[in-house]
Amino acid sequence: MASRFQPRRPAYAKPSRFSPARFSPRPVQAPQRPPPPPAAVVDAILRHHDISVDQGGQRSLLRLSERALREPQVVAALGGDVRRAANVAILWNERESEIVRVLEGFEERAAA
């Protein structure tokens, strides 16, 4: 019986132009994301928020105002993360009483 397949090439054979050994791919690096906000920041926003913007669908955007960030109890809750807390907002589901998403790098115009 004759074989329908070609015999194997020896290991020392030159790679064909379509061989993956011919290409040397560069390693792909994933984009670097900053670490998520600490739990203390999220907890402080949930407890002490004074800005609540209705987003529709029983969702609200919760934030700390500049005035709230200067209050002693908020400063004590945040520790050294007061500056970071100024840029964090939480999308809160009123019906389910749960966090939908934590947004960082928040700007004033995003609420409008």
Side-chain angles (χ1 to χ4, degrees):
M1 247 176 142
S3 174
R4 296 185 319 192
F5 304 106
Q6 296 179 356
R8 287 190 174 178
R9 294 186 189 124
Y12 57 85
K14 183 177 171 186
S16 71
R17 67 182 192 150
F18 299 110
S19 171
R22 186 162 193 242
F23 298 103
S24 58
R26 295 181 306 198
V28 178
Q29 293 185 1
Q32 298 295 323
R33 291 185 181 182
V41 171
V42 175
D43 183 56
I45 292 172
L46 289 175
R47 288 177 189 261
H48 305 288
H49 70 274
D50 58 343
I51 299 175
S52 179
V53 182
D54 183 33
Q55 300 293 306
Q58 296 183 349
R59 294 180 179 189
S60 298
L61 195 65
L62 309 177
R63 293 193 57 227
L64 292 171
S65 68
E66 294 296 325
R67 193 184 94 244
L69 287 169
R70 289 190 297 265
E71 291 180 9
Q73 61 199 24
V74 176
V75 172
L78 289 171
D81 293 322
V82 174
R83 215 175 205 176
R84 191 166 182 189
N87 295 324
V88 175
I90 297 176
L91 188 58
W92 178 256
N93 187 339
E94 297 288 339
R95 181 175 32 161
E96 302 292 330
S97 296
E98 65 183 9
I99 296 173
V100 175
R101 181 163 292 168
V102 177
L103 306 164
E104 191 163 11
F106 182 78
E107 295 180 11
E108 282 295 325
R109 65 176 176 256

